[in-house]
Amino acid sequence: MEEDLFDFWKFLAGIGIFLWGMHQLENAIKELGGKSFRNLLQKSTNTAFKGILIGALITAILQSSSLVTLMVLAFLGAGVINLKNSIGVILGANLGTTITAWIVATLGFKLSVADFAMPFLGLGSLLYLFSSSRPVLKNIGAFAVGFGLLFLGLDFMKTAIEAVAEQIDLSVFHAYGLWVYLLIGIVVTALIQSSSAMVVIILSSINAGVIGLLEGAVLIIGANIGTTITVALGSLNGSADKKRLALAHTLFNVITGILIFIFIKPLISYTMHIFNIADPLMELVLLNTLINLMGIILFFPFINKLENWLQHRFMSSEPIGISKFIKNVSPKVPEIAITALEKDMQFAFDRTISFISSVWKESEEQKKQISIWRRILQQPQNLMEQYAQIKILEDELTNYHIDLQEENLSLEDAERLTSLMLTLRTLVYASKDLKDVLHNIKEMEEKEDALTQKYYHQLKQYSFEFLREIKTFLETEKIDGLHPDWIEKNAAQYNIWISNIYQDYKTYTQNFPISTMTNVLKQVVSSLDNLGSASVHFKMETRKVIDKE
């Protein structure tokens, strides 16, 4: 009895050590090459098929489908990849994660696992402890420790199961049918939250003779279904996109699992005959790979329809806020978060330019539909609402910036983030300058004297010409050699206006105060100066990022 208890705790310790090793491996590889993998994922997923290939490759290397899922969610939220291609990556990740089973079946049951793990644990621990000032060596040490823990945990589980193999009789379950093993696979995987660990348990059980190949294959199917529960639970309080991906992942594993379960016996017979495999462990890991591969083949033709269907799900879970991108991206992935921030900065430019245009422009259709008195009363309120939206967007971007600062940013990312916030402040100043004289501008619009109308139309025409230049500049991809002299141009125009206005006031009959007129001129020029400065700063910073890539 004492021995049984000891074996149980050894088995439990094996699961814990294995999971901890997986965690260490994930963190070490993320630090060593996380940015490179993110760049690969970003640049190589322009189609669903490429998404499947890249998802499988990155997951096979990182040994973590959860990490790949996190990256996919971040890219999806940032608008870097669409939902269809992100589904492709998730399908590929399911295939890539089967590499763990191949490693374990190939090495874990062919060698003295404990002896194999010791050099990795010993050398890795020393490298990790004595290389704190050298991040690359430290992470290589962490990788070695994780690899050693992985196989030490496997050894604990294997020996614990072997010790009690003769005492376990699972024949009692046979009377209930294979669905019992399916249920066991689902429940245990959901409890330990790792399909890789469950696969190791199944392989250990087959190696010890506790279960046969058929029962092991059904447990594998259950493990594939059970792993979706963790993702589904994690998405409950998440964004709509996170729930959509979790649902796609669940549908893929559940539908594939049920179909394979129905035909599991002929599938085993067919694969053993075709591939002529005598080793049940190798047969099982092959089945694990084939299950996911067949699921991909089954789902791939329907990805477009699945995307359309998912787009109409979880509409109530769409994130609240004016921003379009940052609300969908966790600050925990800084590089992607900053990309989302850049996209929302472009959105802030659109909002600001729209506000400035609205100050000067009102369509003829609106004028016909709304009386002059209602227009005088309502238009400022509409414009103030636009300005309020810009301020709310500023608050959202600023709060996101604060959250990002708490992350471990590289010097390059920190400088990029600071530059974006400087652009944001300058952009908001452009709106505020105009907002402060909004009532004066509307008053000028309604004045009938020739002098006021003259300067109102000059300001209006000059502002629209300036906005056209800004839009052209922002939309131009190649800006080498472009150095807009907007501030000098605005200063020259302002001096012309100020010089002329005092002369005009001597000759024109007017009823608009000259002090108010000069203040409007000053604020309009200041607004355009800030808009121009923000545009140049933003475009140059974006150019630097593209050049580095």
Side-chain angles (χ1 to χ4, degrees):
M1 196 69 182
E2 214 172 290
E3 185 180 349
D4 290 346
L5 185 62
F6 172 76
D7 284 339
F8 169 76
W9 288 115
K10 187 175 183 180
F11 173 73
L12 194 61
I15 295 176
I17 293 171
F18 182 88
L19 292 175
W20 182 248
M22 291 286 291
H23 177 72
Q24 286 294 103
L25 272 178
E26 175 184 326
N27 286 340
I29 297 176
K30 182 170 66 174
E31 291 297 325
L32 287 168
K35 189 170 183 179
S36 300
F37 288 121
R38 279 191 287 271
N39 290 336
L40 177 63
L41 185 60
Q42 178 181 356
K43 296 175 180 178
S44 306
T45 51
N46 55 336
T47 67
F49 182 71
K50 286 183 180 178
I52 291 172
L53 296 179
I54 295 300
L57 174 65
I58 295 177
T59 306
I61 297 172
L62 293 181
Q63 284 298 289
S64 174
S65 57
S66 60
L67 178 58
V68 174
T69 301
L70 176 64
M71 287 193 282
V72 170
L73 285 170
F75 279 126
L76 179 62
V80 175
I81 60 177
N82 58 31
L83 181 59
K84 179 182 73 174
N85 297 342
S86 64
I87 292 172
V89 177
I90 295 299
L91 299 187
N94 272 4
L95 181 62
T97 196
T98 62
I99 196 67
T100 304
W102 283 102
I103 293 172
V104 169
T106 304
L107 300 176
F109 296 93
K110 312 297 181 186
L111 304 171
S112 175
V113 183
D115 293 341
F116 180 74
M118 292 308 164
F120 288 97
L121 290 172
L123 295 174
S125 298
L126 292 174
L127 198 58
Y128 181 84
L129 291 172
F130 294 106
S131 301
S132 56
S133 61
R134 304 181 69 177
V136 174
L137 288 178
K138 182 178 179 180
N139 285 311
I140 291 174
F143 174 86
V145 169
F147 199 71
L149 289 174
L150 198 79
F151 282 94
L152 184 63
L154 169 62
D155 183 69
F156 276 30
M157 284 187 278
K158 185 177 74 169
T159 55
I161 291 176
E162 286 173 348
V164 295
E166 295 180 0
Q167 304 171 33
I168 298 175
D169 182 13
L170 295 180
S171 60
V172 65
F173 293 122
H174 296 344
Y176 297 100
L178 290 175
W179 67 268
V180 175
Y181 294 97
L182 181 70
L183 187 62
I184 292 172
I186 295 172
V187 173
V188 175
T189 305
L191 289 175
I192 64 177
Q193 298 192 16
S194 172
S195 59
S196 296
M198 184 59 185
V199 169
V200 172
I201 294 172
I202 296 167
L203 289 171
S204 301
S205 299
I206 291 179
N207 186 64
V210 175
I211 58 175
L213 177 60
L214 178 61
E215 291 80 11
V218 175
L219 285 170
I220 286 283
I221 296 172
N224 285 338
I225 296 175
T227 194
T228 64
I229 294 175
T230 303
V231 178
L233 290 175
S235 71
L236 288 179
N237 295 321
S239 64
D241 282 334
K242 190 171 185 178
K243 290 180 178 179
R244 287 166 188 148
L245 266 186
L247 179 57
H249 183 237
T250 301
L251 289 173
F252 172 77
N253 283 28
V254 170
I255 293 174
T256 302
I258 291 173
L259 288 175
I260 297 297
F261 176 72
I262 294 172
F263 301 101
I264 189 62
K265 289 182 180 179
L267 179 63
I268 292 175
S269 175
Y270 186 74
T271 53
M272 290 187 75
H273 174 71
I274 293 295
F275 295 100
N276 194 27
I277 299 174
D279 187 348
L281 297 182
M282 299 306 295
E283 169 68 11
L284 189 65
V285 294
L286 175 63
L287 281 172
N288 187 28
T289 302
L290 287 176
I291 288 169
N292 287 282
L293 186 59
M294 284 188 285
I296 291 172
I297 295 170
L298 175 68
F299 268 76
F300 184 74
F302 304 102
I303 285 184
N304 286 332
K305 292 184 178 180
L306 179 61
E307 179 195 25
N308 293 334
W309 183 76
L310 289 171
Q311 290 285 14
H312 296 91
R313 307 279 81 79
F314 309 111
M315 300 298 290
S316 61
S317 297
E318 290 286 355
I320 299 171
I322 294 176
S323 61
K324 288 186 173 181
F325 300 99
I326 61 170
K327 61 188 177 184
N328 297 312
V329 180
S330 168
K332 301 295 182 186
V333 192
E335 295 93 341
I336 308 173
I338 294 175
T339 300
L341 195 59
E342 282 183 344
K343 285 180 171 287
D344 269 326
M345 197 65 66
Q346 182 63 60
F347 180 52
F349 270 102
D350 294 341
R351 284 268 184 174
T352 302
I353 291 172
S354 176
F355 170 71
I356 295 174
S357 298
S358 298
V359 169
W360 299 108
K361 187 177 181 180
E362 187 177 57
S363 68
E364 290 300 321
E365 184 179 349
Q366 285 177 316
K367 288 184 177 181
K368 291 176 183 177
Q369 292 176 352
I370 304 176
S371 70
I372 186 170
W373 295 111
R374 283 188 63 193
R375 192 165 71 250
I376 292 172
L377 292 173
Q378 290 184 359
Q379 184 68 6
Q381 182 180 358
N382 294 337
L383 289 170
M384 289 304 292
E385 177 62 27
Q386 287 188 48
Y387 178 73
Q389 295 287 305
I390 292 172
K391 291 295 292 180
I392 294 172
L393 180 59
E394 179 192 18
D395 288 341
E396 289 181 21
L397 298 181
T398 302
N399 289 332
Y400 194 72
H401 161 251
I402 293 170
D403 291 339
L404 261 173
Q405 284 184 316
E406 295 179 2
E407 301 302 318
N408 185 22
L409 300 175
S410 66
L411 179 61
E412 177 185 332
D413 287 335
E415 290 175 350
R416 191 173 160 199
L417 185 59
T418 301
S419 179
L420 286 172
M421 298 316 295
L422 177 61
T423 300
L424 177 64
R425 284 195 295 272
T426 310
L427 195 58
V428 174
Y429 291 153
S431 300
K432 185 179 185 304
D433 286 334
L434 215 54
K435 184 269 299 184
D436 290 343
V437 292
L438 182 59
H439 59 293
N440 299 130
I441 293 173
K442 303 317 290 181
E443 189 180 353
M444 287 178 66
E445 181 186 12
E446 302 303 329
K447 291 294 181 182
E448 295 182 356
D449 65 90
L451 182 60
T452 305
Q453 284 297 305
K454 171 187 173 181
Y455 282 99
Y456 172 78
H457 287 291
Q458 284 186 8
L459 285 168
K460 180 177 181 177
Q461 181 180 355
Y462 184 81
S463 295
F464 277 127
E465 289 175 355
F466 191 90
L467 291 179
R468 278 194 291 271
E469 290 181 25
I470 291 287
K471 287 181 179 179
T472 301
F473 178 73
L474 290 174
E475 292 169 0
T476 301
E477 292 186 9
K478 295 182 179 179
I479 61 171
D480 298 335
L482 286 179
H483 299 286
D485 56 347
W486 286 322
I487 293 180
E488 292 81 358
K489 175 184 174 183
N490 289 339
Q493 181 61 53
Y494 176 72
N495 289 332
I496 292 172
W497 276 330
I498 291 297
S499 175
N500 291 341
I501 199 169
Y502 286 104
Q503 296 299 321
D504 289 340
Y505 260 69
K506 294 177 182 178
T507 57
Y508 278 82
T509 301
Q510 50 76 33
N511 58 6
F512 196 79
I514 189 171
S515 59
T516 304
M517 181 75 78
T518 55
N519 186 50
V520 170
L521 292 172
K522 178 176 73 68
Q523 290 296 104
V524 169
V525 169
S526 177
S527 172
L528 298 179
D529 277 349
N530 282 318
L531 180 60
S533 297
S535 302
V536 172
H537 193 76
F538 178 67
K539 197 68 177 179
M540 294 302 179
E541 185 61 32
T542 305
R543 181 75 260 167
K544 281 195 290 185
V545 173
I546 293 173
D547 289 342
K548 287 178 181 177
E549 291 177 350

